[in-house]
Amino acid sequence: MEEINKLTQREELKTYFETGKYPTQSQFGRFIDNYVHLNEFNFGLDIKASGNYTMKYYHFYLAENIQLSGRGHAIVEAEMANSAPKKIDGYIHVLSRYVGYKYLKIKLSNELDVDKYQPKIIIKRYKQRKTLKSKFVKDPGFYQELPPDAESWSRQSEYRVTSHEMEIDINPIHYFRPNKDYKEFYPSGTMKRPGSFRHTVHHRKPYSLIQMCLEIDVNGTKYRSQPTKIKIVLGGENDLMSYVID
């Protein structure tokens, strides 16, 4: 007996339609069954802030000369709370403080076979319109960072899904660019110019935008769910960083 929903290899499917051959009803059925109907999966993510949170102590630095340093800021998680900031060549220490934030609770929207489809959570970061050194103009929008690039900023652009429900730590403070005043932080990668988004409408707190979606692998082809937009809102002096999830 054949395994139910077993996919037929592409090379075998091609042989059904070679010149002079007439595919049988059974072969046509196999051909149709190998198409991926995403509405059958209805896959996606249910995202909300977890009840669990953490408090970390950070040192914040600004570059003395961004042309020489290659990046405008650095955020370093301290090994011990209230520890003295270490000197970093080419950077000026501007602030040290505790930052508290919640983890994100992720739930798959259906009973997807994790082992079979190897799902991953993909994060894209919003970037402003920018003219590159090559003079190419990059339109504003959500872009996924290459994993090594994200890691160099203490972020992650991909998370392997290991269960239908899980918590992830996105290290949200690393989506911001520091300033001497905590209230004057900007989204990482943005410029101080007219029209730059920065504060939430109601609470007047700095925020950064990301998108999160689920990627699955079906027979070697990658498919992604509709993205969920998340606004990461910087906390005040005594409250946690929060999330506004569309």
Side-chain angles (χ1 to χ4, degrees):
M1 181 184 298
E2 290 188 343
E3 180 182 348
I4 297 176
N5 294 329
K6 181 179 180 181
L7 296 178
T8 305
Q9 294 297 316
R10 292 182 181 180
E11 293 306 314
E12 182 179 341
L13 289 173
K14 291 177 183 178
T15 65
Y16 299 164
F17 301 92
E18 291 175 345
T19 303
K21 289 187 176 182
Y22 296 92
T24 64
Q25 178 180 340
S26 175
Q27 289 173 334
F28 267 117
R30 291 181 184 177
F31 179 76
I32 292 171
D33 287 341
N34 273 263
Y35 276 93
V36 178
H37 300 278
L38 295 185
N39 62 323
E40 295 177 1
F41 284 107
N42 190 29
F43 69 100
L45 296 172
D46 179 24
I47 308 167
K48 61 182 179 181
S50 169
N52 299 318
Y53 69 92
T54 185
M55 296 287 292
K56 297 179 181 180
Y57 196 76
Y58 294 96
H59 300 302
F60 300 93
Y61 302 80
L62 292 176
E64 295 177 315
N65 187 322
I66 190 172
Q67 301 300 325
L68 296 177
S69 63
R71 52 179 62 194
H73 71 273
I75 300 176
V76 179
E77 182 182 344
E79 296 180 1
M80 296 180 60
N82 298 310
S83 60
K86 296 181 180 179
K87 179 176 175 56
I88 302 177
D89 291 340
Y91 290 86
I92 300 172
H93 172 255
V94 293
L95 181 68
S96 293
R97 61 160 291 158
Y98 279 105
V99 175
Y101 62 89
K102 291 185 176 182
Y103 302 118
L104 283 176
K105 186 174 182 179
I106 308 295
K107 182 179 180 181
L108 302 190
S109 59
N110 70 351
E111 292 299 318
L112 196 71
D113 189 325
V114 172
D115 294 326
K116 182 177 181 180
Y117 296 110
Q118 304 174 33
K120 289 192 294 187
I121 296 168
I122 303 297
I123 293 181
K124 294 183 178 182
R125 192 165 61 90
Y126 183 83
K127 296 184 179 181
Q128 292 176 312
R129 183 176 184 271
K130 184 178 182 181
T131 302
L132 305 180
K133 292 182 179 179
S134 63
K135 304 302 181 183
F136 174 78
V137 178
K138 193 171 185 178
D139 292 331
F142 290 92
Y143 295 90
Q144 181 184 354
E145 297 174 294
L146 294 173
D149 292 339
E151 186 178 354
S152 71
W153 289 100
S154 298
R155 296 189 288 259
Q156 279 185 247
S157 58
E158 297 181 358
Y159 291 81
R160 177 69 64 184
V161 175
T162 56
S163 62
H164 286 86
E165 292 189 38
M166 57 187 289
E167 283 187 347
I168 63 172
D169 180 356
I170 65 170
N171 289 309
I173 194 62
H174 292 286
Y175 288 91
F176 290 88
R177 173 163 55 89
N179 208 324
K180 293 181 180 179
D181 187 336
Y182 189 62
K183 297 179 181 179
E184 296 300 316
F185 279 31
Y186 269 76
S188 180
T190 58
M191 297 92 164
K192 294 180 181 178
R193 63 188 183 198
S196 295
F197 73 93
R198 191 178 118 197
H199 289 103
T200 58
V201 175
H202 299 292
H203 303 293
R204 300 297 298 168
K205 295 177 181 178
Y207 72 93
S208 187
L209 287 173
I210 63 172
Q211 279 186 347
M212 191 176 291
C213 70
L214 184 68
E215 179 184 274
I216 62 174
D217 184 304
V218 181
N219 206 25
T221 302
K222 308 292 185 183
Y223 296 91
R224 291 186 177 182
S225 66
Q226 289 295 318
T228 298
K229 187 165 67 175
I230 301 173
K231 184 182 292 184
I232 305 172
V233 184
L234 200 68
E237 292 299 323
N238 299 305
D239 56 359
L240 302 173
M241 296 181 70
S242 60
Y243 309 98
V244 179
I245 302 171
D246 288 350

